[in-house]
Amino acid sequence: MQHELPIIGSVRGIERAPAHEVALCKTSGQAIGLAILKSGKTASRIADLIGMERAQLSRIIGGTHHFPADKALDFARATHSWAWQQWVSYQCGMDMVPRVESPEERLARLESENAELRARVAA
């Protein structure tokens, strides 16, 4: 059985794109293109991975359509790049930083989630 399983290597994480490259992107489509270029995958493959029509992704890159925000995390995972999210932040005069949750915030979040689950079970 063990010999039938493929060798599993380390999984590449999502990485920040160089800030100067993100700053050169004039449009959302260019930032999408940057992430795709850095991924080494084709736009068609990325579209398939995120469950988007290839033509729609092409229109987004071309600037005639907007990128749907609900696909942002799937896109980052598929390209292993935060380039598009960095571009959005840059356009707002901000920068992305990892979120750090204090123990108090974590406790409050977990208590809230617990209360929500209890309410669902009681209903």
Side-chain angles (χ1 to χ4, degrees):
M1 178 84 147
Q2 179 67 31
H3 66 281
E4 296 175 6
L5 296 173
I7 295 176
I8 300 174
S10 62
V11 177
R12 186 174 155 204
I14 305 171
E15 301 171 358
R16 290 178 58 93
H20 68 280
E21 292 181 8
V22 173
L24 291 173
C25 296
K26 301 289 187 227
T27 66
S28 173
Q30 287 178 351
I32 294 286
L34 174 64
I36 292 170
L37 179 68
K38 295 283 187 182
S39 76
K41 299 174 185 167
T42 65
S44 295
R45 178 70 181 134
I46 297 297
D48 292 342
L49 289 171
I50 66 173
M52 180 181 285
E53 293 291 326
R54 294 172 182 184
Q56 182 183 2
L57 184 56
S58 178
R59 289 188 294 268
I60 291 167
I61 294 168
T64 60
H65 281 73
H66 293 287
F67 190 74
D70 62 341
K71 294 287 187 185
L73 187 54
D74 292 336
F75 181 77
R77 287 180 179 141
T79 60
H80 304 286
S81 174
W82 291 117
W84 182 75
Q85 290 84 342
Q86 286 175 253
W87 181 83
V88 172
S89 295
Y90 180 80
Q91 294 303 305
C92 298
M94 304 286 184
D95 193 11
M96 288 179 42
V97 294
R99 181 177 50 224
V100 179
E101 190 175 54
S102 72
E104 294 81 14
E105 291 170 325
R106 185 171 194 275
L107 179 60
R109 179 180 52 80
L110 291 173
E111 286 174 346
S112 174
E113 289 173 1
N114 192 22
E116 184 180 317
L117 289 172
R118 288 178 190 271
R120 259 193 246 158
V121 169

